[in-house]
């Protein structure tokens, strides 16, 4: 259909916008103010949503986003005091976070401390074929003494995760105390401290 004139173009744009359906709106979900637990917020989160953790120590074991591109952050990722007080702690019961469902660089973890993760493949984070972005995160006291442990804090097996202004401290593993990456992984590190 060819339309001539400004009215015709405006009508075509309006029809096309209506056919596309309503615009998806990203929500901000607050834990624990709106949702008592991170699991409760994750259960209702849609791709593009932002989950904001208030300061505190939260038990988190093998949490996954299930392929959804989400943001998980503290109330102020730029404040080192807030980052130190907003802790996801696996308590030695498994890894903290796992990304293995194709999450893209639209997945962001910002201003959190990940602590106490243990697993033979990435005590703090396992990233397999995913590309999440970690910004101003602290990885501490993660790892395992098992002889085949790969990556005390982070293990990368595929994908291109990015680490920006992150700090790695007191992590341990026989191979890659802080980070272990296979040749299929292409991690990026910018302004990180090890």
């Amino acid at each position: 259909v060819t339309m001539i004139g400004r009215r015709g173009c405006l009508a075509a744009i309006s029809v096309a916008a209506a056919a596309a359906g309503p615009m998806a709106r990203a929500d901000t979900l607050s834990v624990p103010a709106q949702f008592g637990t991170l699991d409760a917020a994750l259960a209702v989160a849609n791709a593009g949503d932002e989950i904001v953790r208030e300061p505190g120590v939260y038990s988190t074991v093998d949490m996954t986003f299930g392929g959804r591109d989400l943001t998980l952050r503290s109330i102020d990722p730029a404040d080192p005091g807030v980052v130190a007080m907003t802790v996801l702690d696996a308590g030695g019961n498994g890894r903290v976070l796992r990304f293995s469902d194709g999450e893209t660089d639209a997945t962001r973890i910002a201003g959190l401390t990940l602590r106490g993760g243990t697993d033979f493949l990435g005590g703090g984070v396992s990233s397999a074929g995913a590309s999440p972005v970690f910004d101003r995160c602290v990885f501490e006291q993660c790892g395992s003494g098992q002889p085949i442990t790969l990556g005390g804090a982070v293990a990368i097996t595929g994908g291109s995760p990015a680490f920006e202004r992150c700090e790695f401290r007191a992590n341990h593993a026989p191979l890659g105390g802080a980070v272990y990456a296979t040749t299929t992984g292409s991690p990026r590190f910018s302004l990180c401290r090890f």
Side-chain angles (χ1 to χ4, degrees), residues 1 4-6 30 37 58-59 62 71 76-77 79 81-84 86 97 110 115 118 121 144 155 157-158 165 174:
V1 175
I4 301 174
R6 290 171 33 177
S30 180
T37 66
Y58 301 94
S59 177
D62 209 30
T71 294
D76 187 358
D79 182 337
V82 170
V83 175
T86 312
L97 298 172
R115 177 189 300 154
T118 59
L121 189 60
S144 173
T157 55
R165 298 171 292 236

Side-chain angles (χ1 to χ4, degrees), residues 130-151:
S131 301
V133 176
F134 294 85
D135 184 18
R136 295 185 171 127
C137 291
V138 174
F139 298 83
E140 65 182 16
Q141 301 169 11
C142 294
S144 173
Q146 298 176 16
I148 59 167
T149 300
L150 306 173

Side-chain angles (χ1 to χ4, degrees), residues 37 102 104 191:
T37 66
T104 72
L191 303 172

Side-chain angles (χ1 to χ4, degrees), residues 21-193:
M23 297 278 295
R25 191 176 135 259
D27 290 322
T28 299
L29 313 173
S30 180
V31 178
Q34 288 177 293
F35 296 89
T37 66
L38 180 56
D39 288 335
L42 281 170
V44 300
N46 294 307
D49 285 352
E50 179 176 66
I51 300 172
V52 179
R53 296 293 307 239
E54 295 175 19
V57 178
Y58 301 94
S59 177
T60 305
V61 178
D62 209 30
M63 182 179 70
T64 179
F65 288 7
R68 294 169 291 173
D69 288 326
L70 303 170
T71 294
L72 174 61
R73 68 172 181 85
S74 67
I75 59 171
D76 187 358
D79 182 337
V82 170
V83 175
M85 294 186 308
T86 312
V87 180
L88 304 182
D89 193 336
N93 296 311
R95 82 171 50 89
V96 180
L97 298 172
R98 177 173 45 90
F99 297 98
S100 60
D101 297 311
E103 292 86 356
T104 72
D105 61 1
T107 297
R108 300 191 67 83
I109 313 300
L112 299 172
T113 296
L114 285 70
R115 177 189 300 154
T118 59
D119 195 86
F120 73 95
L121 189 60
V125 172
S126 173
S127 182
S131 301
V133 176
F134 294 85
D135 184 18
R136 295 185 171 127
C137 291
V138 174
F139 298 83
E140 65 182 16
Q141 301 169 11
C142 294
S144 173
Q146 298 176 16
I148 59 167
T149 300
L150 306 173
V154 179
I156 300 160
T157 55
S160 301
F163 300 84
E164 302 167 357
R165 298 171 292 236
C166 292
E167 188 172 333
F168 296 81
R169 56 183 181 219
N171 300 292
H172 57 90
L175 294 172
V179 178
Y180 175 85
T182 65
T183 56
T184 58
S186 302
R188 293 178 291 118
F189 296 90
S190 175
L191 303 172
C192 293
R193 292 191 303 179

